[in-house]
Amino acid sequence: MKYPGKSVTKKSLVLSSVSLAVLAMTQQASAQQTESPIQRVEVTGSSIKRLASEASLPVTTLKAEELTQRGMTTLADVMMALPQSASLAPSNAGSGTNINLRGLGVNRTLVLLNGRRLANEAIADGYANLEVIPMSALARVEILRDGASSIYGSDAIGGVVNFITKRSYEGASATAQYVQPEKDGGGDEQRLSFTAGKGNLATDGWNLYATVDAHQRSALMARDRAELSTPEILASIGRAPTLARGGYASPANFTTTANRTAANPYYSRGCLAPYSIQGAGNTCILKNQEYGAALYENQRVTFYARGTKQLADDHTLTVDYLRGQSHIISTRNPTQSVAVNGVAATLPASSKWYPGGSGGVPAMPGLNGAPLFVTWSVADLGLAATKDTQVNQRLSVVGEGRIGNWDYKAGLTHGVSTRENEYQDGYVTGAGLNAGLLNGSLNPFGLQDAAGLAYLESISVDGEKNRDSQSTFSGIDIGGSRELMQLGGGSLALAVGADFHRDTTRDERLPIVNSVTYVNAAAARGEGARNVAAVHAELDIPLTRQLNFNVAARNDYFSDFGNTFNPKISFRYEPSKALMFRGSANTGFRAPTLFDRYGYRTAGANGSTAGRWDDPALCPGGIPGPRHRHR
């Protein structure tokens, strides 16, 4: 793990493939994933089966053994290791880990599991969360570093990442990993996985295996790496800190109608450690290192099962099921006393906590009983934390084989992704907070007494769900490939295919968010659906053993957007084993995501968005977002 200005390594302990003697079993664990050197396979980015040694696309392949040997515990580690990926840090977002190939955007990188799509994460509905894929099920990861809209669709502009699971598995194995930063304080990781399978495809004609993978990471707070954000380090990267003035703090800063210059009754006493420090101009400011988080707490559990039946020598049927669940605990500064319905948080002179009153708050010169407008951060509540939980499930049924001269494949896929957010700790209603100031229950200038703590408990919303979202993907696909004739470098090969899928999305911010004014959100609902139908074709032309051309094209029709046609031509010229030239020309088009297309709808609005989208070439000055009727 690296931090600015200093390298901090991790200690890693890996116990992998625990022997069956330890597990008190008799069978030897073995993964049947080694492919014969002459086996014809389908490579990510092409629909034509070929010899593995003939792959000509710019594909990076990472085998599962390599991931374990390098001490990687999550797919976020894998993505961070790719030079083509702009995913450069562990995710602190509830949407989980995503990948951004070539910096073109997460919704321009297509993520596949065994060549087929997952349901996207439920809120943005524009990309997949990698954390729902179990590492213990993987045989390899293939990363196509070139655009592939001509094969897969409009969201493969930046490239394709295909996670390929073990084809079969016999026996049982377990893996345990423990990763500890050299410094204490947090950021440690633990991973456990167990895999078991039975049946041999070659001799029994069937195989069934399942794996469960669990991982957790503890939070790492900024105060536990305080030396990494010293004024000297910040200045060295051009962000020298300046002393702030006023703002939300504990004890609160205040102004009056007659005097808008913020002040604090505890400034001369050094404010309130460890929550605040002296700021500029007689004010207190939050001590950011007390509340900042470098890494949020994260947990995930994934399950994958796969069954394969050899129906005949040239035909197999595979059914697989994936369920991934992950959650992240995200934190922010303690709840603040923001305005409610345009009325600022106000402390009247009748409150015992008024400076100079019976509550013991120091008197301030110049106050004549005027109400105080306070900017207060409620230290008693601690960090405001939310729990974001995501569940992604997918069921896939795939048949493949050979009929005559044609290699065929057909699949049926259904995926559901849900995401829920709830207030975990430290959240209260804004109106209740301001009412407690007015009636004297709450002290904005220090920690609460027993009555104040009881009042905070009475207005708490901890445990309440504030957001509920769902995305689905349902699709069917069919394709075939065959050799047409022999050329100087091999077989002229053709592939054709078609697919149809339906995407839906629903995202709701629930009415309770209107009451929790600190997060500044409003109840809203976004909902949309579309059907996508596509046909595609590919021709592989090996003119000589050194020179190969590939031509592909895809036509997509979006029920709510229209048609897009994307061709591609590429070549590979390899005059010697030490020298190769590769190039491609293609078009790509990213259709609007469902969130782009429909967005949020708030009470009283009949448009999908109030924003304006700018196209300087076709519509200078911007165009309004799409409009639609309420449903």
Side-chain angles (χ1 to χ4, degrees):
M1 180 178 291
K2 294 183 178 179
Y3 299 94
K6 186 175 181 179
S7 176
V8 180
T9 60
K10 286 183 176 180
K11 299 175 181 177
S12 178
L13 174 63
V14 180
L15 304 174
S16 183
S17 298
V18 178
S19 68
L20 297 185
V22 175
L23 295 174
M25 297 182 181
T26 57
Q27 284 184 292
Q28 180 181 3
S30 62
Q32 297 175 342
Q33 62 191 80
T34 303
E35 293 165 349
S36 169
I38 62 171
Q39 183 177 356
R40 297 165 65 248
V41 297
E42 187 172 307
V43 180
T44 301
S46 175
S47 299
I48 296 174
K49 284 189 175 182
R50 66 193 76 206
L51 299 182
S53 60
E54 294 178 349
S56 60
L57 297 171
V59 175
T60 297
T61 300
L62 298 174
K63 294 184 177 181
E65 295 85 356
E66 182 181 355
L67 307 183
T68 302
Q69 291 167 0
R70 295 172 64 177
M72 295 179 176
T73 58
T74 68
L75 291 180
D77 296 333
V78 179
M79 297 305 103
M80 289 171 62
L82 295 176
Q84 301 85 8
S85 173
S87 304
L88 298 179
S91 175
N92 263 351
S95 59
T97 298
N98 46 63
I99 182 169
N100 180 4
L101 286 180
R102 300 191 292 166
L104 295 179
V106 294
N107 51 24
R108 293 172 177 84
T109 299
L110 178 61
V111 173
L112 303 173
L113 178 64
N114 294 325
R116 288 175 173 81
R117 296 170 182 257
L118 297 157
N120 287 327
E121 77 85 21
I123 289 182
D125 191 50
Y127 49 86
N129 174 13
L130 306 187
E131 292 183 3
V132 303
I133 301 172
M135 286 186 63
S136 56
L138 295 181
R140 64 188 184 276
V141 183
E142 294 182 349
I143 302 99
L144 175 63
R145 309 186 305 274
D146 194 8
S149 294
S150 59
I151 298 295
Y152 296 110
S154 68
D155 48 358
I157 292 176
V160 181
V161 182
N162 190 8
F163 295 91
I164 300 171
T165 61
K166 298 177 178 70
R167 187 167 180 261
S168 63
Y169 194 93
E170 287 186 82
S173 66
T175 298
Q177 289 179 292
Y178 176 76
V179 180
Q180 175 65 51
E182 288 188 338
K183 289 204 169 193
D184 295 332
D188 53 287
E189 300 177 58
Q190 300 85 39
R191 176 178 169 235
L192 292 171
S193 66
F194 179 75
T195 306
K198 187 174 178 61
N200 186 288
L201 281 176
T203 58
D204 302 325
W206 62 275
N207 179 261
L208 176 65
Y209 77 88
T211 183
V212 61
D213 202 323
H215 173 270
Q216 69 174 7
R217 181 188 71 207
S218 66
L220 177 64
M221 305 305 295
R223 62 176 174 264
D224 295 314
R225 298 292 186 269
E227 75 282 3
L228 301 178
S229 57
T230 62
E232 293 76 17
I233 290 178
L234 293 175
S236 71
I237 60 174
R239 301 195 63 180
T242 57
L243 198 58
R245 176 189 180 94
Y248 292 92
S250 181
N253 299 300
F254 70 86
T255 60
T256 66
T257 302
N259 187 355
R260 291 297 182 179
T261 301
N264 197 296
Y266 284 95
Y267 175 81
S268 62
R269 303 189 183 188
C271 301
L272 182 61
Y275 311 109
S276 62
I277 59 175
Q278 289 178 321
N282 200 37
T283 63
C284 297
I285 58 175
L286 283 180
K287 186 178 180 182
N288 289 331
Q289 286 186 337
E290 180 67 22
Y291 298 113
L295 290 173
Y296 292 152
E297 175 187 341
N298 175 269
Q299 293 181 357
R300 64 171 178 82
V301 178
T302 54
F303 172 80
Y304 178 80
R306 176 180 175 122
T308 304
K309 173 67 176 175
Q310 193 81 31
L311 301 178
D313 289 343
D314 292 327
H315 306 279
T316 60
L317 178 69
T318 301
V319 179
D320 67 0
Y321 170 73
L322 166 74
R323 187 186 191 278
Q325 178 170 326
S326 64
H327 77 251
I328 192 166
I329 307 296
S330 58
T331 58
R332 58 192 296 176
N333 288 343
T335 288
Q336 298 168 353
S337 56
V338 301
V340 177
N341 297 324
V343 179
T346 305
L347 185 74
S350 59
S351 171
K352 68 178 181 178
W353 308 113
Y354 195 88
S358 61
V361 178
M364 294 284 291
L367 292 182
N368 56 6
L372 306 183
F373 306 121
V374 297
T375 50
W376 175 34
S377 183
V378 191
D380 308 79
L381 295 175
L383 288 168
T386 57
K387 182 178 181 179
D388 201 316
T389 302
Q390 186 170 171
V391 178
N392 193 306
Q393 300 182 79
R394 195 191 79 165
L395 178 66
S396 179
V397 181
V398 178
E400 57 184 321
R402 188 171 180 86
I403 300 178
N405 294 324
W406 286 89
D407 292 310
Y408 76 88
K409 59 177 182 178
L412 178 65
T413 305
H414 178 66
V416 179
S417 174
T418 61
R419 186 172 168 186
E420 296 181 350
N421 190 283
E422 67 179 41
Y423 301 117
Q424 178 86 352
D425 291 300
Y427 282 95
V428 297
T429 64
L433 193 64
N434 289 358
L437 292 172
L438 289 172
N439 64 29
S441 298
L442 297 177
N443 172 19
F445 296 119
L447 300 179
Q448 307 306 306
D449 58 15
L453 291 175
Y455 182 84
L456 287 174
E457 180 66 26
S458 72
I459 60 173
S460 171
V461 296
D462 292 345
E464 296 283 341
K465 183 167 69 172
N466 61 69
R467 196 166 190 174
D468 186 12
S469 310
Q470 182 185 78
S471 292
T472 69
F473 172 89
S474 301
I476 185 171
D477 63 87
I478 186 169
S481 65
R482 63 163 295 171
E483 298 176 354
L484 298 177
M485 59 182 293
Q486 290 297 313
L487 298 178
S491 298
L492 175 69
L494 170 71
V496 294
D499 63 72
F500 173 86
H501 68 263
R502 177 173 175 81
D503 297 316
T504 72
T505 185
R506 172 186 54 80
D507 181 22
E508 293 183 84
R509 285 182 176 150
L510 304 178
I512 194 171
V513 302
N514 295 328
S515 301
V516 185
T517 49
Y518 172 42
V519 295
N520 192 29
R525 179 183 175 89
E527 183 177 12
R530 68 157 55 111
N531 299 325
V532 182
V535 292
H536 56 89
E538 180 185 359
L539 194 63
D540 196 59
I541 312 169
L543 294 180
T544 69
R545 291 189 179 277
Q546 292 78 33
L547 180 61
N548 185 92
F549 285 92
N550 186 277
V551 180
R554 180 183 178 96
N555 190 81
D556 290 272
Y557 176 76
F558 296 82
S559 61
D560 61 343
F561 185 77
N563 193 78
T564 174
F565 176 75
N566 294 289
K568 178 177 182 177
I569 182 170
S570 61
F571 78 93
R572 186 190 73 163
Y573 177 54
E574 190 174 4
S576 71
K577 292 296 183 181
L579 180 66
M580 182 178 68
F581 298 92
R582 178 189 288 126
S584 67
N586 61 88
T587 66
F589 178 81
R590 186 186 74 83
T593 67
L594 290 177
F595 187 86
D596 292 337
R597 179 65 177 86
Y598 299 107
Y600 285 125
R601 288 172 285 179
T602 56
N606 59 8
S608 62
T609 177
R612 298 180 69 86
W613 306 93
D614 183 45
D615 185 336
L618 300 179
C619 301
I623 57 176
R627 305 180 71 84
H628 56 87
R629 294 177 297 174
H630 279 295
R631 287 187 279 181

